[in-house]
Structures are given as C-alpha cells and as structure tokens.
C-alpha cells in the first residue's frame, strides 16, 4: 500500500506553484491552507493531482474535510487504506 505524507503534499503544492514556496517550509501541518495562500480552487487542483498519482477518487465536497495539511494527509491516507482493502 502506498502512503501519503506531509512531504509528498508539500511537493505537490510546490509543483502547483501560485504561492510563495517559503510558506511551505517548517511545520505547516496544522496551518490552514487559506493561511498558506491556497484557496478552494487550489485545493481542488491538489485533489486532482492526488487522484492521478494515487488512483483514488476524492469528491469535491472532501475539500471541506481537509482544512489543513495534516487533515489532508489523514484523509488521503484513509482513501489509500480503503483502496488497499478493496
């Protein structure tokens, strides 16, 4: 089973661009995406990137379940765990 971690999330966000990459340095786990400079459209793009890379489906409504990087990582890992058990 693949796992998804904060470094993977950081890498995707950096490749997406659009904000100062320095905002992604340090302990961002509990910082809301909006405080990092990402809006809901950027989070949808993040979900699209994860879907393509990990072959999971993330509903558009799931963005509200992922207000912080830590919550996004946990949510994505729950999808990967469910996929592995299928």
């Amino acid at each position: 089973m693949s796992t998804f971690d904060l470094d993977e999330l950081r890498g995707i966000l950096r490749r997406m661009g659009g904000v100062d990459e320095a905002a992604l340095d340090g302990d961002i786990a509990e910082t809301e995406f909006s405080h990092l400079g990402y809006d809901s459209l950027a989070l949808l793009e993040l979900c699209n990137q994860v879907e393509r890379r990990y072959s999971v489906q993330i509903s558009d409504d799931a963005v509200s379940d992922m207000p912080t990087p830590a919550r996004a990582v946990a949510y994505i890992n729950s999808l990967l765990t469910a996929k592995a058990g299928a």
Side-chain angles (χ1 to χ4, degrees), residues 6 10 26-33 35-36 67-72 74:
L6 191 57
R10 238 188 223 114
D27 186 12
I28 63 166
E30 298 300 331
T31 304
E32 291 191 13
F33 281 111
H35 293 280
L36 295 171
T68 65
R71 295 278 299 275

Side-chain angles (χ1 to χ4, degrees), residues 9-76:
L9 178 95
R10 238 188 223 114
I12 292 171
L13 293 173
R14 283 194 167 109
R15 286 187 293 277
M16 286 172 42
V19 299
D20 179 11
E21 288 189 20
L24 299 175
D25 294 337
D27 186 12
I28 63 166
E30 298 300 331
T31 304
E32 291 191 13
F33 281 111
S34 61
H35 293 280
L36 295 171
Y38 294 96
D39 61 13
S40 59
L41 290 177
L43 294 180
L44 289 173
E45 178 58 25
L46 169 66
C47 292
N48 288 334
Q49 297 284 331
V50 170
E51 286 178 337
R52 283 193 293 272
R53 181 166 295 164
Y54 289 92
S55 299
V56 294
Q57 291 290 334
I58 303 173
S59 73
D60 291 348
D61 295 336
V63 170
S64 63
D65 295 331
M66 300 184 281
T68 65
R71 295 278 299 275
V73 167
Y75 183 85
I76 292 164

